[in-house]
Amino acid sequence: MEDLIQLDSYPVQTTLRILLQDKTTKKNIIWATDSYASFGEAYTDRSQITANQLKKMNYGMIQPRISKDMKQQTQRTRKSAEVFTPAWICNKMNNFCDEEWFGYKDVFNRQAEHEWISTEDKIRFPDGKSWKDYIDSRRLEITCGEAPYLASRYDASTGNMIDIYKRIGILDRKLRVVNENAADETEWLKWTIRAFQSVYGYEYQGDNLLIARINLLMTFVDYMNSKWHRQPEKAELRKVANIISWNIWQMDGLKGTVPMGVLKEEYHQMSLFESFQEVEEDNVPEVRCKIYDWRADDSILYEELEKNRWY
C-alpha cells in the first residue's frame, strides 16, 4: 500500500515544526501512546514529538491505522478504544448535519448503501442563508483520530484514496462551495482560509493528531492543485498550518485538559523533605486546553466553547 501520509513531502516538510506545536502548552504535542516506546526514552507516552525524532525513527512509520499491523491495531483498540470509521458512515452522518442546516436532503451527494453519488448541480442555498454563511458555520469532530469526518482524502477502513470530486468531509464540502462561488483566486484563498478557521477537532494520541493535521494540510494542497493548477507557496502553507495547529488540538476529551498534565521538569532540585512521588505529582497539574476564535481574533479556553455552543 502506498504511504498515505508522507512526512518527507514538500508541504509537510515546509510546515512540520508548526504542525507539531501545542498552542496551549507552547511546546510540542506529546506521543500520548507507548506504541513507539521501543525506540527509546524520547518516544514514550509523555515525551514531546519532535521533527528530529520523526526523522530518526523513519518517516514512513507514522501512518494511519489501516497501515499498522493487526497486533498493533488490536492493542490500540483495547487501550485507547481506537476504531475505524468507514467513509460511508462519515458521509451518512455529515449528510444528516447538512440536511439540518440546508433544510433539504441530498445536498452534496445521494447515498446508496456503502457508496454515494455526488450531486452535479451547483449547491443551492435556502432563503436567508448564503454560501458565506455555510463556510463560516463552525463544526467540531470530537475524538477525531485521523479526522475522517473533516477531511476525506482516503477511506479509513480500506486505505483507498478518494477522488477529490467524491470527497465527503466537512472541510471538503466547504471547499466545494468555495470552488463554486469564489470569483477569482484572491477570493478563493480568502474563503478557503475561513473554511479552515471554521473546522475543529481534538484527539488524545499524538501520532493520530499529527496525521489528522497532515490530512487537513494536504486537503488544502489538493484543492489548490485541482482549482488553480499550482502548489501552494511556503507562506500560504504556513498560514494554513498555523490555523490547523490551533483548531486540531491535543486534549483528554473527558477532562478538557492536556493529556497527562504538564510535561515533567527536565531537572528538579529536591528539598530534604520531598519524596520522588511528591515531585512526580507536583509536576503534573492539569492544564485547560486553549483554542482560537478566529472571528473574535482571540484565544479562549475550550470549556468556554462548550458553555457558549458556538459550533
Side-chain angles (χ1 to χ4, degrees), residues 250-311:
Q250 188 165 34
M251 185 172 77
D252 181 332
L254 296 177
K255 298 179 179 180
T257 62
V258 172
M260 304 181 191
V262 175
L263 294 177
K264 291 186 292 185
E265 293 176 306
E266 192 170 349
Y267 301 103
H268 179 80
Q269 182 64 49
M270 291 181 63
S271 74
L272 181 63
F273 302 102
E274 279 183 307
S275 69
F276 284 103
Q277 183 176 359
E278 287 171 336
V279 172
E280 183 76 11
E281 290 173 352
D282 285 345
N283 285 318
V284 287
E286 292 185 338
V287 180
R288 316 306 295 180
C289 286
K290 291 181 179 179
I291 59 172
Y292 209 83
D293 182 347
W294 299 96
R295 300 287 76 82
D297 195 20
D298 194 16
S299 62
I300 61 172
L301 292 177
Y302 168 72
E303 58 194 26
E304 291 300 315
L305 177 152
E306 283 197 312
K307 290 176 186 176
N308 296 326
R309 294 290 180 187
W310 52 253
Y311 57 89

Side-chain angles (χ1 to χ4, degrees), residues 69-223:
D69 63 50
M70 288 303 298
K71 181 179 179 181
Q72 191 175 3
Q73 289 182 25
T74 302
Q75 288 173 342
R76 290 169 70 107
T77 298
R78 289 174 178 170
K79 189 171 181 179
S80 307
E82 182 181 86
V83 295
F84 291 112
T85 307
W88 69 270
I89 291 180
C90 296
N91 183 58
K92 197 167 187 178
M93 294 181 71
N94 284 346
N95 279 357
F96 177 78
C97 291
D98 279 330
E99 183 181 338
E100 289 284 304
W101 197 91
F102 281 85
Y104 67 93
K105 291 184 177 182
D106 303 333
V107 179
F108 290 89
N109 62 69
R110 179 172 55 82
Q111 182 135 355
E113 297 297 329
H114 294 178
E115 290 292 330
W116 59 90
I117 301 169
S118 298
T119 56
E120 295 183 2
D121 294 337
K122 185 177 179 179
I123 302 302
R124 172 173 57 86
F125 288 86
D127 291 342
K129 291 181 178 179
S130 71
W131 70 271
K132 294 178 180 179
D133 294 327
Y134 183 72
I135 302 305
D136 278 343
S137 61
R138 296 179 175 108
R139 301 287 185 271
L140 168 69
E141 181 180 357
I142 63 173
T143 57
C144 67
E146 301 162 18
Y149 285 91
L150 298 180
S152 57
R153 294 179 57 235
Y154 54 83
D155 189 325
S157 66
T158 64
N160 294 333
M161 297 298 292
I162 300 176
D163 291 335
I164 199 166
Y165 76 93
K166 284 199 68 178
R167 294 186 186 178
I168 49 79
I170 294 167
L171 179 60
D172 296 297
R173 295 166 188 238
K174 288 174 179 282
L175 295 181
R176 172 179 170 175
V177 169
V178 175
N179 280 355
E180 290 179 350
N181 291 277
D184 53 36
E185 187 172 343
T186 299
E187 187 177 29
W188 182 91
L189 189 57
K190 172 187 174 180
W191 285 95
T192 291
I193 293 296
R194 290 177 76 105
F196 275 86
Q197 290 173 342
S198 70
V199 294
Y200 294 80
Y202 64 80
E203 167 61 20
Y204 189 94
Q205 296 182 118
D207 57 345
N208 280 348
L209 181 70
L210 179 58
I211 290 169
R213 289 176 169 184
I214 292 172
N215 277 332
L216 267 70
L217 179 75
M218 294 309 299
T219 296
F220 173 63
V221 174
D222 290 346
Y223 277 85

